[in-house]
Amino acid sequence: MYLRSVKTIRLESVENFKNQLLLWSQQFDDVIWLDSNSYIQDYSNYDAVLAVDAFSNIKTSYHQAFQKLRAYQSNTKDWIFGYLTYDLKNAVEDLSSTNFDGLKFPDLYFFQPKKLFLIKDHRLEIKYLKCVENDIEEDLRKIYDYTEPQNHPAKKNIKIKLRIHKDAYFEKVTQMLAHIHRGDIYEANFCQEFYAENTRIDPLETYIKLNKISKPPFATFMKTGNNYVLSASPERYLKKEGLRVLSQPIKGTARRSQDLHLDSLYKTALANDSKERSENIMIVDLVRNDLSKIAIKGSVRVDELCNIYTFNQVHQMISTVTAKVDSDTHPVDILENTFPMGSMTGAPKISAMRIIEALEETKRGVYSGAIGYISPEGDFDFNVVIRSILYNATNRYVSYSVGGAITSKSNPLKEYEECLIKAKAMRTVLEN
C-alpha cells in the first residue's frame, strides 16, 4: 500500500479551478481527466478527477492482459487510472482482431499517478505520493496562476474520410440482418470509422470544444505519451462501490430540437419506440447474465428499465442493472467477466463479436472500450468510450467511430442516419 499526503481545500469557483487544472496538467506525459460536467445523476462519487505524472505503469497487448492487470493492481494497492480496449475480447474469448488499425494504441494501459485531484461540490481533495508531497503548495500556486500559452498553431482544414461508404454500409447491415433472420444472433452493435490522415490537431482545444457542445456525464481527456482520447461519453460501463456493482447500458437514441414542443415529441417517441425498447431490454438481459458470473446468487436486479435521459445532443434510453459481490472478489475479475460491455457487442455476445469483426473494417481499439480508475480499496468507475475523438500525434492520425444496434426491425437507412446524428459533434469540432 502506497502512502499519500492529503490536503483538502474549499474552492470558491469550481469551474475556474477546473479550467486552470486541466491547462496545468498538459505538461505531463500521462494525464487522465474525468468530468461529470455537473450532470445530475444518482451514482457519482466525484464531480471531476485529475490523475497525472506516472510513478509506475502497465502497458500490454491483450495476451493475459487481465492477469497482468490483476497482478499490477494487487501489487500497487493504490489508485490506478487507464483504459481497456475493446480488443481485450481476445483475452476472454477465442477471438481475434485483424482489421485495419491506424491508431496503434496498446491494448491495455494503466498508470499509478504521483499527483491526484478529486473534486466534489466545492471541496478539493489533493492526494500526492510521499515522493512528491513537497510539491503540493507549489503546484497549487502554479495552478491558480497558470496562463494558457498564446502560440496556437495555424488551423488546417481537416478532410474527414469514411472507412465504410454509404452503399457499403447498407450492404453490410443487410448481411447482418441475414445473420439475425437465420438465428445466428438477435442483435449486434455495428460500427463505422471516420478518419483523417496526415493531420495535426490541438488535443486539449479539441476536447474543450467537444465537451462544450455535449457536456456529458462521463467526459474524459486522456493523454498517454502521444496517444490521446477526447471523449464526450454519456455512458457508464461499470462502477463498483463497496460490494455493490452497477452497470448502465445505453441503447436507444433520438435527436434533439431547439423547438421545445418538437423536442418533447422526440423524447416521447423514443420512450414508446418498440424497436429501441427491445434493443435495450436485450442488452439488459446480456448485462444481467454477465454480472451473474461474479455476483452473489440472487443479487442481480434491474433498478430502472428503459428510462429516458436527455443530453445536449441527443435523448438516450438507459437502464440500470445492479448486483452484489463477495468481499474477496477481485475488482479485475469483475471487469474480466463483464468485458466488453454488452451495449457495444450484441446478443448472444460471442457470436455477435465474431460477426462484428467480419463485417467492420476497423480495429476498434480504445473506441467502445473503457476509461476509468481503480481505488486502493478496489472500488472502480469506468465509462464506455463512445462519442470520442482518438488521436495518435506521432502517426498524425485522427479517428472517431459511431455505431448502432442492428436488430430484426432495423432499417439500414434509419441506422445510417442515427450514426450521422451521433457523429455530428465530433465532425463539427474537427471541421470547425
Side-chain angles (χ1 to χ4, degrees):
M1 176 76 76
Y2 285 82
L3 296 177
R4 289 183 177 267
S5 295
V6 179
K7 182 180 178 66
T8 303
I9 63 175
R10 177 175 172 77
L11 299 174
E12 295 303 322
S13 175
V14 174
E15 286 304 313
N16 284 347
F17 185 83
K18 283 166 58 177
N19 292 337
Q20 293 292 99
L21 187 62
L22 191 51
L23 289 169
W24 170 84
S25 74
Q26 299 306 297
Q27 65 190 287
F28 300 103
D29 288 332
D30 292 274
V31 179
I32 287 188
W33 167 254
L34 309 172
D35 191 356
S36 72
N37 284 297
S38 301
Y39 189 88
I40 298 172
Q41 53 180 314
D42 295 329
Y43 309 105
S44 177
N45 287 340
Y46 305 105
D47 296 333
V49 176
L50 175 71
V52 297
D53 200 7
F55 179 71
S56 68
N57 66 52
I58 176 175
K59 177 171 63 175
T60 182
S61 71
Y62 70 86
H63 294 284
Q64 297 186 316
F66 285 104
Q67 293 93 316
K68 294 172 184 176
L69 179 60
R70 188 183 299 111
Y72 179 65
Q73 193 279 332
S74 297
N75 290 332
T76 59
K77 285 291 183 185
D78 192 19
W79 293 87
I80 59 172
F81 288 72
Y83 67 77
L84 310 162
T85 64
Y86 172 81
D87 302 290
L88 293 182
K89 65 182 174 59
N90 307 331
V92 295
E93 302 293 348
D94 183 19
L95 299 167
S96 63
S97 296
T98 58
N99 287 328
F100 174 77
D101 179 13
L103 287 161
K104 303 187 185 305
F105 286 20
D107 288 335
L108 179 148
Y109 186 88
F110 276 79
F111 72 95
Q112 175 189 9
K114 294 179 186 175
K115 304 179 180 185
L116 179 60
F117 299 80
L118 306 165
I119 299 171
K120 182 67 174 178
D121 298 323
H122 284 267
R123 184 173 180 267
L124 168 67
E125 193 172 19
I126 303 170
K127 297 187 175 186
Y128 275 29
L129 286 178
K130 289 291 186 178
C131 61
V132 292
E133 64 180 332
N134 293 332
D135 293 353
I136 291 178
E137 295 301 332
E138 179 65 14
D139 283 350
L140 273 174
R141 185 188 64 77
K142 289 178 178 178
I143 292 164
Y144 280 117
D145 294 343
Y146 200 88
T147 55
E148 186 176 5
Q150 297 301 310
N151 56 337
H152 290 300
K155 295 287 189 297
K156 295 182 179 179
N157 291 329
I158 295 177
K159 178 65 175 176
I160 303 295
K161 301 178 183 178
L162 286 73
R163 186 68 59 189
I164 301 173
H165 289 275
K166 190 174 181 179
D167 289 346
Y169 177 88
F170 287 176
E171 183 180 329
K172 287 174 180 289
V173 171
T174 300
Q175 291 180 54
M176 190 164 281
L177 285 168
H179 281 289
I180 293 169
H181 295 144
R182 195 162 54 233
D184 300 332
I185 51 173
Y186 304 112
E187 173 181 353
N189 189 282
F190 178 56
C191 300
Q192 58 176 316
E193 182 195 23
F194 299 78
Y195 68 99
E197 299 169 298
N198 299 316
T199 297
R200 295 193 191 279
I201 63 172
D202 182 323
L204 182 59
E205 180 184 44
T206 304
Y207 165 76
I208 290 171
K209 287 181 177 179
L210 181 63
N211 189 52
K212 188 176 181 180
I213 290 172
S214 301
K215 292 197 175 298
F218 300 102
T220 301
F221 176 94
M222 188 189 82
K223 171 188 177 185
T224 58
N226 281 325
N227 296 334
Y228 295 85
V229 178
L230 323 171
S231 179
S233 175
E235 183 172 2
R236 170 181 275 124
Y237 156 44
L238 206 61
K239 173 184 169 70
K240 177 180 178 288
E241 187 171 12
L243 301 181
R244 185 173 186 245
V245 179
L246 176 146
S247 180
Q248 293 185 289
I250 292 179
K251 271 287 161 275
T253 304
R255 68 177 71 225
R256 297 291 314 275
S257 173
Q258 293 182 346
D259 182 313
L260 294 179
H261 176 67
L262 191 56
D263 192 59
S264 178
L265 290 177
Y266 288 150
K267 185 176 180 179
T268 302
L270 176 60
N272 296 322
D273 190 311
S274 60
K275 173 189 173 292
E276 303 282 27
R277 289 183 67 87
S278 66
E279 286 179 13
N280 195 293
I281 291 167
M282 274 191 266
I283 297 307
V284 166
D285 284 343
L286 191 157
V287 170
R288 288 170 62 201
N289 182 65
D290 282 349
L291 288 175
S292 69
K293 298 174 189 175
I294 46 84
I296 295 170
K297 189 174 181 180
S299 70
V300 179
R301 53 179 288 178
V302 179
D303 288 6
E304 59 176 348
L305 184 65
C306 298
N307 281 4
I308 307 302
Y309 287 67
T310 295
F311 303 98
N312 280 16
Q313 294 287 298
V314 291
H315 300 293
Q316 302 272 200
M317 187 179 287
I318 304 179
S319 294
T320 300
V321 187
T322 60
K324 290 184 179 178
V325 295
D326 288 319
S327 58
D328 60 352
T329 303
H330 197 284
V332 176
D333 289 343
I334 302 171
L335 296 170
E336 182 177 11
N337 278 281
T338 58
F339 198 84
M341 60 290 299
S343 62
M344 299 307 295
T345 55
K349 195 172 186 179
I350 299 171
S351 297
M353 288 191 289
R354 285 201 178 98
I355 292 167
I356 286 167
E357 184 70 29
L359 290 177
E360 291 181 357
E361 297 288 339
T362 306
K363 179 180 175 181
R364 289 190 184 181
V366 181
Y367 171 71
S368 73
I371 296 174
Y373 65 84
I374 305 176
S375 76
E377 297 77 27
D379 290 342
F380 58 70
D381 205 358
F382 286 88
N383 74 355
V384 179
V385 182
I386 53 176
R387 320 289 160 81
S388 302
I389 296 168
L390 282 68
Y391 176 47
N392 184 321
T394 302
N395 296 352
R396 298 175 62 186
Y397 189 88
V398 177
S399 169
Y400 63 91
S401 295
V402 291
I406 308 302
T407 70
S408 62
K409 298 180 180 179
S410 290
N411 176 299
L413 177 58
K414 288 185 177 179
E415 296 296 340
Y416 189 78
E417 289 172 346
E418 182 178 312
C419 284
L420 296 183
I421 292 170
K422 293 174 178 176
K424 182 180 178 183
M426 284 90 75
R427 186 158 202 154
T428 299
V429 165
L430 290 172
E431 293 187 340
N432 293 312

